[in-house]
Amino acid sequence: MGWDGFVTAYTITALDGVAYGLLLFVIAAGLTLIFGVAGVFSMAHGTLYLAGAYLAWHLADDAWTGLTLALGVAVAVGALGGAGLAAAVRPLADRPLDQVLATLGIAYIAADQFSLVFGAEPRSVDPPRAVAGSVSLGDYQYPVYRLGFIAVGVLLVLGLFWLVERSRTGAVVRAVVADPGMAAATGLRTGTVRTGVLIGGGVLAVTAGVLGAPVIGPAPGVDTTILVYSLIVCVVGGLGSIRGALLAALGVGQALTLGVALAPGAASFVLAVAMLSALTVRQRTALAGRPA
Amino acid sequence: MITTLTPSSGATVEPVAPCREVVPAWLWPAAGAGALAAAVAMPWLVNGYFISLAATALVMAVLAMSAQVLVGLAGLPPLGQAAHLTVGAYTAATIATLTSLGPVQLVAAAAAGAVAAALTGLLAVRARGTTFLMVTFGVGELVHAGASRWAPGGSEGVHTPPVVALPGLPAMTRPGWIYLYVLACTLLIGAAVAVLVRTRFALLLRGIAAHEPRVQAAGHHPRRLLLAAYTFAGGIAGAAGALSIAVTRYVSPADAAMAISALALAAALIGSGSMTGACAGAILLVAARDWAGGLLAGHGPTLLGLCFLLLAYLPRHRLAELTIRLLRRRA
């Protein structure tokens, strides 16, 4: 083994961290835009991921058709879920605490129904047979699916960046994040933008659930775990910032894989410190908070 | 400056005050005494299942008071109070290997809860509004994750011996005695909180909730005041942890779960600013989750979710105003 062996082991773990971070980014990008545009801290965001993961478990077989079907259904479920959440929080405008309560109530009911339908035990989801094996990287075997996931994740990141930072739609979204009042005064339909962002975030979260099911499989409680990690990504990256979310997601991914491997048990500590430093450094700008 | 600010904010936030004018003066103490008598007589009136349910409800009532110190006084909604409860519970479980004396465990747990809150508070009191909620939620879940790795017993949790109420008494194993012990501790903690909400400190917290810049302009340090409130609330939550050990004789990382923090926050919101209301809300929610949920084949979470939805959509501030107005008209 020697020194080289150790280096490779950590490199492999770091690669896992990249996959984890990209998955978190796809989920958290939706949450950070939802908070930035609509001011809603959706407690049901992890529920959408879990819905996607259960979709993958239910529909996926060892061929591509299962995954394609699951992805198609995921887009529909995500859009419906996002529209439902938008309709649920619409009467609660200017009452952020009530929005939290409402989305939390929805998350509770959904979690109870999930365990009723899919059982209380964790389910494992296998990737399609074509990408089920592993390739050798140096002395180590690495799952092909995870490499493919990283590739798809990078594509999703590029697509999201183009959409938010280059396209006209993105310009409208960024305008509403920056100054909702001014955006409304210039004739932008802020209500439509809010609904659109909730729908987009829903589609992203459920799709991430289908793609991520072989990485973070469906089980009761996964919804909360995903919600917490994407929340930390949002806080560390700055609420409403897509660039910050990407950097934070990659950092959190490393903390959760490499951090656990290097210093077992320190991961939560590292994440708490990351949140503290983010709040300390940027408390006057991105994290001024909205009145309760 | 403060003398002009405090009476007005005190009068507007206290929802009970207007009722006192209409309802006869003797009714409130009489109702309180009646409720207390019913609570004390409970072990002789109902079966063991309801008594242990009532003891759980009292633990949640203490946690709801802890949440109410933050959301009702300072206007900051916490979603991580269960973390401080867990710190208190693990402290009490560790102390239990040395002594079974309940009061010693209670004090140690409260102190540990306060210390933990003072540390996490450095992070939390920088944020306001929904961001405060998000940060306390994140910190609470990190404690939840850390507890299953670091705490004694791991994710399996720790079992503790039964608690002794006072030196010389036998260990409490019957649910009735445990309930009475928890009731006595809850009343003591309630008294401490009742003293707190009548201090100038509480008025300053209400001032921060109403208009923070003005409190700051008057020469106070909002962040220090909020940290003190957060620490105090953490101490109460820690005490609730010691009581939960007395009831269940067991602590596990699951006690730090978001579900418990959410229940405490929702109970505080049902109470809309009042401590008695927060306790009533906690009892109501525990009844919905455990008792009614048990009747509905274990669908407590769905029932709790419906409660949260109801709480979100009912215009509860307007309802409170309406009740007050109706009471006035009748007089």
Side-chain angles (χ1 to χ4, degrees):
Chain A
M1 291 281 279
W3 181 242
D4 286 337
F6 276 104
V7 170
T8 319
Y10 289 134
T11 323
I12 294 289
T13 317
L15 201 59
D16 262 348
V18 172
Y20 215 104
L22 287 173
L23 178 60
L24 284 181
F25 170 73
V26 176
I27 306 162
L31 190 62
T32 200
L33 283 182
I34 288 171
F35 193 87
V37 172
V40 178
F41 174 37
S42 171
M43 300 291 289
H45 206 65
T47 308
L48 291 170
Y49 174 89
L50 188 56
Y54 274 125
L55 257 181
W57 178 76
H58 189 63
L59 294 175
D61 46 19
D62 49 5
W64 287 109
T65 44
L67 188 64
T68 319
L69 183 65
L71 279 175
V73 178
V75 171
V77 169
L80 273 177
L85 283 176
V89 296
R90 184 172 287 250
L92 304 175
D94 307 321
R95 284 154 61 192
L97 202 52
D98 286 340
Q99 292 174 346
V100 168
L101 279 174
T103 49
L104 190 63
I106 293 169
Y108 265 54
I109 296 170
D112 202 25
Q113 300 309 311
F114 283 151
S115 55
L116 184 72
V117 175
F118 299 103
E121 64 267 39
R123 306 285 186 182
S124 69
V125 179
D126 294 324
R129 201 190 301 132
V131 287
S134 48
V135 288
S136 39
L137 296 176
D139 294 339
Y140 291 84
Q141 294 292 310
Y142 198 78
V144 180
Y145 183 81
R146 229 163 257 203
L147 286 178
F149 181 85
I150 292 175
V152 173
V154 168
L155 284 180
L156 275 172
V157 169
L158 291 177
L160 260 175
F161 263 82
W162 176 81
L163 189 69
V164 174
E165 304 217 328
R166 291 280 180 273
S167 72
R168 198 189 132 69
T169 320
V172 171
V173 169
R174 279 181 290 132
V176 178
V177 174
D179 191 340
M182 184 55 86
T186 54
L188 297 175
R189 292 166 180 271
T190 48
T192 317
V193 176
R194 284 196 183 110
T195 313
V197 166
L198 273 154
I199 290 176
V203 170
L204 277 178
V206 181
T207 315
V210 170
L211 291 175
V215 182
I216 307 175
V222 165
D223 45 355
T224 318
T225 315
I226 291 290
L227 179 64
V228 174
Y229 290 154
S230 38
L231 161 77
I232 292 170
V233 168
C234 291
V235 170
V236 173
L239 298 165
S241 154
I242 200 107
R243 261 164 213 268
L246 177 63
L247 292 176
L250 290 174
V252 169
Q254 292 304 328
L256 287 175
T257 52
L258 205 57
V260 169
L262 289 172
S268 7
F269 182 70
V270 169
L271 293 179
V273 168
M275 242 162 73
L276 174 64
S277 33
L279 284 167
T280 319
V281 172
R282 265 202 325 266
Q283 49 169 319
R284 283 174 190 284
T285 53
L287 287 158
R290 288 152 191 272
Chain B
M1 188 121 197
I2 279 305
T3 43
T4 55
L5 175 73
T6 42
S8 62
S9 69
T12 46
V13 182
E14 189 79 65
V16 188
C19 308
R20 289 219 174 100
E21 299 161 13
V22 262
V23 181
W26 54 266
L27 195 69
W28 290 110
L36 186 64
V40 172
M42 202 148 163
W44 288 276
L45 297 176
V46 296
N47 62 23
Y49 170 65
F50 275 99
I51 294 168
S52 59
L53 215 63
T56 310
L58 285 177
V59 174
M60 285 314 297
V62 174
L63 195 65
M65 282 197 275
S66 157
Q68 190 70 295
V69 167
L70 289 169
V71 68
L73 288 181
L76 293 177
L79 195 45
Q81 288 308 94
H84 306 135
L85 177 139
T86 312
V87 169
Y90 272 109
T91 308
T94 313
I95 297 284
T97 56
L98 305 171
T99 171
S100 294
L101 262 185
V104 176
Q105 293 180 11
L106 190 73
V107 170
V115 169
L119 290 176
T120 59
L122 293 173
L123 183 68
V125 299
R126 290 172 181 277
R128 297 288 179 275
T130 319
T131 317
F132 178 82
L133 185 131
M134 290 166 73
V135 170
T136 49
F137 170 54
V139 170
E141 284 301 310
L142 290 175
V143 169
H144 180 30
S148 47
R149 194 173 279 274
W150 285 334
S155 55
E156 299 287 310
V158 182
H159 289 273
T160 57
V163 168
V164 176
L166 289 170
L169 291 180
M172 291 181 293
T173 47
R174 309 252 316 250
W177 288 114
I178 296 168
Y179 164 79
L180 286 176
Y181 166 74
V182 173
L183 180 66
C185 293
T186 305
L187 289 174
L188 272 176
I189 295 165
V193 173
V195 170
L196 173 92
V197 298
R198 281 162 182 77
T199 55
R200 190 162 162 278
F201 171 61
L203 287 173
L204 283 172
L205 291 180
R206 287 182 201 276
I208 293 173
H211 198 339
E212 187 175 336
R214 202 167 160 186
V215 175
Q216 193 162 18
H220 299 284
H221 295 273
R223 204 178 279 170
R224 275 185 220 168
L225 289 166
L226 291 177
L227 186 59
Y230 195 78
T231 308
F232 185 82
I236 302 171
L243 295 181
S244 112
I245 286 272
V247 175
T248 58
R249 283 189 242 155
Y250 175 65
V251 55
S252 76
D255 289 331
M258 184 255 284
I260 305 207
S261 301
L263 198 137
L265 177 60
L269 293 176
I270 291 175
S272 56
S274 110
M275 288 293 164
T276 331
C279 293
I283 292 167
L284 205 72
L285 288 177
V286 170
R289 185 192 65 180
D290 293 351
W291 177 65
L295 295 182
L296 291 173
H299 284 295
T302 297
L303 216 55
L304 209 55
L306 288 175
C307 285
F308 288 177
L309 282 175
L310 211 64
L311 186 58
Y313 288 109
L314 282 180
R316 53 179 190 277
H317 304 296
R318 243 173 278 160
L319 278 182
E321 276 168 35
L322 190 71
T323 336
I324 291 164
R325 224 177 297 149
L326 283 177
L327 279 167
R328 264 196 199 139
R329 200 167 294 164
R330 215 176 288 159

